[in-house]
Amino acid sequence: MMAPMWGKWINCRVRPGARADFAAGQRRWSAIADQPGLLGQLGGWDGTGRRALLYALWADRAGYDRFLRERHDAIATEAAQQGSWESIRVAAGPVVQAFPGTAPTLPDALRHATVLRAADCRLHPGCAEHFLAVQRDVWAPGMAAAGGLLAGTVTRLAADRYLVTTLWTSPEAHTAYTTHAFPALRARADVPVDVATLTGHVVPLEPSWHVGWAGSSVGSLTGVRR
């Protein structure tokens, strides 16, 4: 059985007046585009403009760990972002579900998305199995039917913490989904049954922060370990 893909979630609170410095440093991470195992990385600013949010997807944990050992620190030094942020929170874990959309693979979805929606969910104890079933049976088909969804993932960041990320073709498509489809889906999902707290983000993606991919077939939406 194939190893699960590996997702990484980065949440940076940027110092007042330091957005330009942070963004310039973020563009320097394009140097990792040739890193074996990287499927893609993207990000942008939250609605306040003070917080930068990034999501990276790796073929497996082994590739991610190799990057940490061999290149991460040198690239971070070159990016020189440390003075631009007040705090940084990083979490990573296996991708346990993938949502199909119009993109043939997850790297394609990462490359073409203009909006990232992320839901950072902390579950009630013992609810993970039901939560994942609801993602698969309610949210995934409901979002795909709404139109504009490229793909999505569910990443397990801790025993009772899951990050649900979806990638959208345009802000208009995402707005149409939240207006017309989201309320009924949320009611069907009965979110409070499983979710103790949920922090949601809608992130317009910065094109210059995209880190490309090498065209690997890894990341097929039909081959994700669940």
Side-chain angles (χ1 to χ4, degrees):
M1 181 178 291
M2 64 181 289
M5 289 181 286
W6 198 255
K8 182 176 185 179
W9 179 237
I10 305 169
N11 186 324
C12 295
R13 183 170 177 83
V14 177
R15 296 184 186 280
R19 270 178 55 124
D21 290 341
F22 181 91
Q26 194 58 43
R27 291 192 289 271
R28 297 187 185 106
W29 286 92
S30 63
I32 70 171
D34 63 347
Q35 181 68 29
L38 178 67
L39 300 181
Q41 179 172 285
L42 44 68
W45 301 101
D46 76 349
T48 69
R50 289 286 310 282
R51 198 172 291 278
L53 301 167
L54 300 119
Y55 183 67
L57 190 64
W58 293 80
D60 52 32
R61 182 172 185 174
Y64 172 68
D65 286 346
R66 176 183 175 186
F67 163 68
L68 290 184
R69 289 193 310 270
E70 298 180 357
R71 294 185 70 186
H72 177 274
D73 291 355
I75 298 292
T77 298
E78 178 68 22
Q81 291 172 293
Q82 291 87 343
S84 64
W85 46 260
E86 294 177 341
S87 64
I88 182 168
R89 290 178 287 173
V90 179
V95 174
V96 295
Q97 282 188 14
F99 298 158
T102 58
T105 67
L106 284 165
D108 275 304
L110 292 166
R111 183 171 60 170
H112 294 294
T114 67
V115 175
L116 167 69
R117 183 185 181 98
D120 192 344
C121 304
R122 296 181 185 269
L123 308 187
H124 299 297
C127 289
E129 183 175 353
H130 184 260
F131 172 81
L132 292 173
V134 170
Q135 302 307 307
R136 182 188 64 238
D137 299 334
V138 177
W139 288 108
M143 286 187 290
L149 177 71
L150 288 164
T153 58
V154 182
T155 303
R156 186 174 67 240
L157 300 179
D160 291 317
R161 183 186 177 192
Y162 289 79
L163 182 74
V164 183
T165 54
T166 50
L167 300 163
W168 297 84
T169 56
S170 68
E172 294 77 14
H174 180 259
T175 297
Y177 157 72
T178 57
T179 301
H180 302 297
F182 177 79
L185 291 173
R186 184 178 176 87
R188 284 181 57 202
D190 200 5
V191 173
V193 168
D194 297 321
V195 179
T197 64
L198 186 156
T199 304
H201 306 278
V202 177
V203 185
L205 296 170
E206 293 285 339
S208 64
W209 295 7
H210 282 240
V211 178
W213 63 295
S216 169
S217 62
V218 176
S220 167
L221 288 163
T222 60
V224 174
R225 181 179 176 183
R226 294 178 182 269

